Each structure stands twice: as structure tokens, then as C-alpha cells.
């Protein structure tokens, strides 16, 4: 493991549930667009692809057929691409508990998101992750050998994760994603990033972590995360702007910048197989 400590994993969150072509024409929405985008990002250094699907109108959808089509298309068109697939379980606010997790036993992604608490969402609705759902989802992930990407939007959600680890509903070592700067969640500042990391280390020792900031906080959180030993998530799910006033031209552009910063810092970009080792995932089949 010694030589893995200088490796940093880049996750590409290509699509999310919300951005439209009117926000950024380069956001990939269809399975074919997502597959080509993931392939480009993988070539630029991304080791994990966090995937959301859209319906034919472009709305976030937990559509098992679209997930399947995307996975199969990637395998068919780019069999050399060994990126880790991480499928969302929160791609549609109207989804039922069942449709939020039906793709896991069917498609066996290596990872999937696990949103560890309920919160207000964008001051307009509720992002519901009730205890009952989290217990069911956690147990299913253990059964199906899908590693949770524990998304936490505030420190209380780290406390929730500690509870599920203690109950045996989340396996250790756990992997966290600090989602920062989202309205109704923790603000994306350096001080808060230090606090999130320290809270995680105290409550869930031995965990790995990654972080991103949305909007204005993106660069501060990225630099801070690299400096503090975390992994990086970038992509249009979290930011459609590359910098203030300038839309990103592609997801690959975000990955290239993250890879450049990691290397400038004197570290290396983890390959998917190195990421599997860092995250204690089984080797690729
Ligand atoms: Zn997501």
C-alpha cells in the first residue's frame, strides 16, 4: 500500500440530475453522450465515473434501462476502459425506495452513492433519505457487494454514517464524499473542509474521503482537498462553469485541470486499478 499514499483518485460526475443543455451545451444527457464523455474523462485520468440518467425529456430519472444501456455501450464501444462505475441512488426526487435501488442487483456497479441523511434541497423541496431507506439500501449494498460512496452535505450526516457503521449496515473501510457549498448544506470553505475531515476521522476512523465544492467554492475545496490528502470529484453535476463567467467546454476539461493540480502538487493520479486498491474494492473481473 505504501506507494498508493501519493495517489489521488479523480471522480467524474458527468451529468447529475439537473443541468440542462441550456445551462451548458456540453452536458452529456443520453447514454451515448455519457459513454463518450466518460471515455474521454478516463483517458484524461478519471478513475471513477459517477453516473446519473435522464429521461427523453432530459429530466433526472432512475431508469434501469438507461443505466443498463450506458453500461453495455461503454463495454461494447470502449472495452479498454476500466473505469469504476458509481451509479447514483438519488437521481430523481419522485423515485420510490424501490426504484432508487433496483439497478444495483441488476447491474452490479462497483460503487453507488449513499446519501446519509435528509435535508432541504435548494430551498425548494426535501431531499429525502429516511432511516428506513438507508437501512435497506445499506444492507442491499453489502449483499450485492456495491461499495457506498457516502455523500455527506453537513457534519451531522457523518454522525449518521458512524451509526450505520456501528450497526453493521455500512462496511468498513468506508468512503466519504464531502459535498460542499450546496444550498442548505455546509458552506464550501477551507475551515469547514478541515472540520469535515476531522469529524470523519474522529467518528469513522480508517475511512477514505473525497470532496468537491459547487459553484464559487469549487477551486478552494479542490486545492484544500489535494493539500489535505483527499480525493477529488469534478464535473458538470457540480459545476457547469470552468471559472467565473466561463462555461466548461467539456467534462474532460475539469478532469485535465484536476490531474494537472495533483501533479503540480507532487502527487500522482490514481489509475482505476489503483483506486480499487485504495478503496478496498475487489480487483476488476
Ligand atoms: Zn450524483
Amino acid at each position: 500500500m505504501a506507494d498508493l499514499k501519493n495517489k489521488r483518485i479523480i471522480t467524474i460526475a458527468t451529468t447529475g440530475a439537473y443541468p440542462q443543455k441550456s445551462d451548458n451545451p456540453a452536458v452529456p444527457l443520453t447514454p451515448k453522450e455519457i459513454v463518450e464523455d466518460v471515455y474521454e474523462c478516463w483517458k484524461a485520468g478519471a478513475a471513477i465515473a459517477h453516473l446519473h440518467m435522464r429521461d427523453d425529456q432530459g429530466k433526472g430519472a432512475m431508469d434501469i434501462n438507461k443505466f443498463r444501456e450506458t453500461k453495455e455501450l461503454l463495454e461494447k464501444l470502449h472495452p479498454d476502459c476500466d473505469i469504476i462505475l458509481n451509479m447514483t441512488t438519488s437521481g430523481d426526487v419522485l423515485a420510490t425506495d424501490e426504484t432508487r435501488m433496483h439497478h444495483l442487483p441488476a447491474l452490479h456497479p462497483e460503487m453507488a452513492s449513499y446519501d446519509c441523511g435528509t435535508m432541504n434541497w435548494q430551498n425548494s423541496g426535501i431531499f429525502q433519505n429516511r432511516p428506513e431507506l438507508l437501512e435497506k439500501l445499506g444492507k442491499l449494498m453489502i449483499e450485492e457487494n456495491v461499495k457506498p460512496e457516502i455523500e455527506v452535505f453537513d457534519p451531522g450526516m457523518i454522525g449518521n454514517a458512524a451509526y450505520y457503521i456501528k450497526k453493521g449496515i455500512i462496511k468498513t473501510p468506508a468512503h466519504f464524499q464531502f459535498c460542499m457549498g450546496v444550498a442548505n448544506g455546509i458552506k464550501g470553505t477551507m475551515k469547514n473542509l478541515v472540520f469535515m475531515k476531522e469529524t470523519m476521522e474522529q467518528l469513522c476512523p480508517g475511512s477514505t474521503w473525497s470532496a468537491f465544492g459547487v459553484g464559487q467554492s469549487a477551486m478552494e475545496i479542490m486545492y484544500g482537498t489535494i493539500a489535505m490528502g483527499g480525493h477529488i470529484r469534478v464535473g458538470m453535476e457540480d459545476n457547469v462553469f470552468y471559472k467565473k463567467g466561463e462555461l466548461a467546454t467539456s467534462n474532460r476539461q475539469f478532469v485535465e485541470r484536476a490531474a494537472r493540480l495533483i501533479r503540480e502538487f507532487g502527487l500522482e493520479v490514481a489509475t482505476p486499478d489503483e483506486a480499487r486498491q485504495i478503496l478496498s474494492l475487489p480487483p476488476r473481473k
Side-chain angles (χ1 to χ4, degrees):
M1 283 295 276
D3 59 334
L4 291 174
K5 75 178 193 308
N6 290 328
K7 306 271 182 181
R8 295 289 192 275
I9 301 166
I10 301 174
T11 294
I12 181 66
T14 59
T15 303
Y18 298 104
Q20 298 295 332
K21 298 272 188 197
S22 53
D23 300 310
N24 186 325
V27 60
L29 300 183
T30 66
K32 179 82 174 47
E33 287 174 346
I34 292 169
V35 162
E36 293 309 331
D37 198 87
V38 164
Y39 186 56
E40 285 302 309
C41 291
W42 170 73
K43 285 194 285 185
I48 302 175
H50 172 69
L51 300 179
H52 282 246
M53 295 296 128
R54 301 294 183 90
D55 65 17
D56 294 334
Q57 284 69 49
K59 262 190 65 209
M62 292 304 298
D63 183 336
I64 193 167
N65 294 321
K66 301 253 191 218
F67 277 113
R68 180 178 288 116
E69 191 184 340
T70 305
K71 183 173 186 257
E72 290 178 355
L73 212 50
L74 182 67
E75 286 161 1
K76 188 174 141 215
L77 298 177
H78 303 294
D80 54 329
C81 181
D82 64 346
I83 200 163
I84 296 164
L85 295 186
N86 166 341
M87 294 181 180
T88 187
T89 60
S90 304
D92 173 7
V93 281
L94 300 175
T96 63
D97 287 4
E98 203 268 318
T99 60
R100 286 180 65 173
M101 55 185 92
H102 58 176
H103 52 325
L104 305 184
L107 304 175
H108 283 111
E110 289 176 88
M111 298 180 78
S113 58
Y114 183 92
D115 293 286
C116 214
T118 296
M119 64 188 285
N120 285 1
W121 189 254
Q122 307 290 349
N123 298 304
S124 62
I126 297 175
F127 182 20
Q128 275 213 60
N129 296 289
R130 292 169 293 106
E132 187 196 353
L133 168 83
L134 292 176
E135 289 196 18
K136 249 197 295 186
L137 182 58
K139 284 176 186 159
L140 180 71
M141 286 172 128
I142 289 177
E143 270 167 41
E144 300 294 337
N145 217 1
V146 178
K147 174 134 184 166
E149 173 208 17
I150 306 168
E151 294 189 331
V152 290
F153 293 77
D154 65 44
M157 292 192 191
I158 301 173
N160 293 346
Y163 171 80
Y164 291 118
I165 288 171
K166 195 166 148 227
K167 294 257 290 181
I169 286 167
I170 296 175
K171 255 208 308 207
T172 54
H175 180 64
F176 283 85
Q177 188 71 256
F178 301 157
C179 312
M180 302 184 65
V182 176
N184 310 123
I186 196 167
K187 223 170 148 312
T189 65
M190 197 54 51
K191 197 173 161 189
N192 286 344
L193 183 65
V194 172
F195 180 59
M196 293 289 276
K197 176 175 182 269
E198 287 180 348
T199 303
M200 181 201 78
E201 285 170 346
Q202 191 190 1
L203 298 179
C204 310
S207 304
T208 50
W209 66 284
S210 173
F212 66 87
V214 302
Q216 288 176 352
S217 64
M219 295 310 291
E220 183 173 343
I221 298 301
M222 180 149 56
Y223 276 100
T225 299
I226 293 170
M228 283 162 54
H231 304 285
I232 294 293
R233 169 167 141 176
V234 292
M236 297 215 193
E237 172 165 356
D238 311 322
N239 291 290
V240 294
F241 285 94
Y242 187 69
K243 55 176 139 169
K244 196 170 192 282
E246 187 183 315
L247 286 176
T249 56
S250 65
N251 273 313
R252 182 180 174 131
Q253 192 186 20
F254 286 119
V255 176
E256 283 171 346
R257 176 168 63 189
R260 207 160 55 232
L261 296 185
I262 288 166
R263 293 190 184 111
E264 286 291 337
F265 200 84
L267 302 166
E268 290 169 49
V269 178
T271 64
D273 277 340
E274 288 165 346
R276 287 183 178 93
Q277 289 178 59
I278 293 166
L279 299 172
S280 310
L281 291 170
R284 190 178 186 232
K285 280 178 214 135

